[in-house]
Amino acid sequence: MLNKIGDDTGVSKADLFISDLHLCQDRPHITQAFLAFLKSTATQARALYILGDLFEYWAGDDDMASHQPIVEGLRQLADGGVKLYLMHGNRDFLIGHEFCAAAKLTLLADPCLINLHGQTTLISHGDALCSDDVDYQAFRLQVREKKWQNDFLQQPLATRKAQITSMRARSEQEKSHKASAIMDVNPLALKQLLQEQHYPKLFIHGHTHRPQRQELSLDGHAITRWVLGDWYEQGGYLSCDALGCKSHTLK
Ligand code: MN
């Protein structure tokens, strides 16, 4: 799906990309680092793209009160003129329009093509590319269905949170038995996506927590793939302007 976002007029401020912060109450230092980022570095940007898994989990927009400082921080950044975009991750795919309206974010489909300073750029969370993880892909299909989501969201918040806790425990346990390669991007799935999307110049995604820059050559097209890192040990972001992209770690 082609989204015509971004333009090339005006001053060349950078667009920033982050993902996999996994914000939750168990890791308050990451939330503090993110709030500080929103008040400093991010204010200088043209746009901030959050490519999924901002939260460790999202039980529904009626749970927004537990995340008020984050909503507030995002809204203040948007009020300062920075465009905010959010894509669902595999943890926070239940983020809905209420949260996006409160935080002044635009929700993007996954994957999505944007115009990044003149370069056609594909952005995605990245979990759909981990096609070797057959169990996960079956789960993903199920929970991305509107009916499953409506049924889930109809339950009381406490019930949903309890279910998420048990789902997370199960997934952690399963992950400990899975080979590490299974949870990485499948090269064929990557190739197919880039072909379907007509060979974008850049591809930016997260999810695997294996940050890297990769120069690909596919059917005669040069494509740069950036994988964003997580925020567990150290926060970081990718910044892209008219001169190119650069990855940064936060102090
Ligand atoms: Mn993820």
Side-chain angles (χ1 to χ4, degrees), residues 4 57 79 104 126 152 170 174 188 208-209 212 250:
K4 278 279 168 205
Y57 69 91
D79 285 341
K104 298 197 173 176
F152 184 80
R170 211 177 326 137
E174 282 165 9
L188 190 61
T208 61
H209 302 208
Q212 63 161 314
L250 295 175

Side-chain angles (χ1 to χ4, degrees), residues 20 53 90 125 207:
D20 304 284
D53 288 355
N90 53 302
H125 178 57
H207 181 66

Side-chain angles (χ1 to χ4, degrees), residues 115-170:
N115 176 357
L116 193 58
H117 301 274
Q119 306 256 62
T120 306
T121 302
L122 182 68
I123 53 178
S124 174
H125 178 57
D127 57 321
L129 292 173
C130 299
S131 54
D132 291 332
D133 194 343
V134 178
D135 297 342
Y136 169 68
Q137 293 302 333
F139 172 79
R140 185 181 195 273
L141 263 179
Q142 183 192 26
V143 301
R144 297 296 177 109
E145 273 173 20
K146 205 78 217 133
K147 182 177 176 339
W148 185 94
Q149 296 192 359
N150 289 339
D151 289 351
F152 184 80
L153 289 170
Q154 258 164 27
Q155 304 174 93
L157 180 58
T159 312
R160 275 177 268 151
K161 282 188 163 181
Q163 283 192 33
I164 289 170
T165 305
S166 77
M167 277 194 264
R168 282 168 70 206
R170 211 177 326 137

